[in-house]
Amino acid sequence: MSDLDQLYQQVILDHSRRRTGEGLESAGSRHTAENHQYNPTCGDEINVRVSLDEAGDRVESLTWEGDGCSISMASASVLSEMAPGMSMGEFATTVDQFREMLRSRGQIESDEESLGDAAAFAGVSKFVARVKCAMLAWVAAEEAAKEAAL
Ligand code: ZN
């Protein structure tokens, strides 16, 4: 295992323990929505709640509740740390980038500058069965954000 792989494993492990954003925050804004996703392959389950600002164009908070493997829980924690403060455009771009990296089967190098801790999931893309684990919270957040913006 390379040093980078080891570092990335550590980031995932830390986040799966820290679980930033765990516990659904009560809705402050009228632009709040929740989405539930289930990954039958692994048994991961997650509820993500996204609140946007009053204008509906910036992520104010992203909280979640879930049960699953360390990859799915860590990726929810990372997302919860990254998303608040992002404009809807930035958020959509980040989710797209993360998805692209995960679907690349190890072909796309992780872009730490734009993905931050989420770049640690680059190695997951080599394991097709785990891609859904890493993507689960992000899909739920994407859906919740779309609904919250209405
Ligand atoms: Zn999983």
Side-chain angles (χ1 to χ4, degrees), residues 39 42-44 68-69 71-72 130 133:
N39 174 15
C42 181
D44 312 312
C69 67
I71 291 176
S72 65
R130 307 316 294 278
C133 302

Side-chain angles (χ1 to χ4, degrees), residues 119-137:
F121 293 87
V124 173
S125 74
K126 292 175 205 148
F127 307 96
V128 179
R130 307 316 294 278
V131 167
K132 239 185 162 173
C133 302
M135 210 53 227
L136 202 66

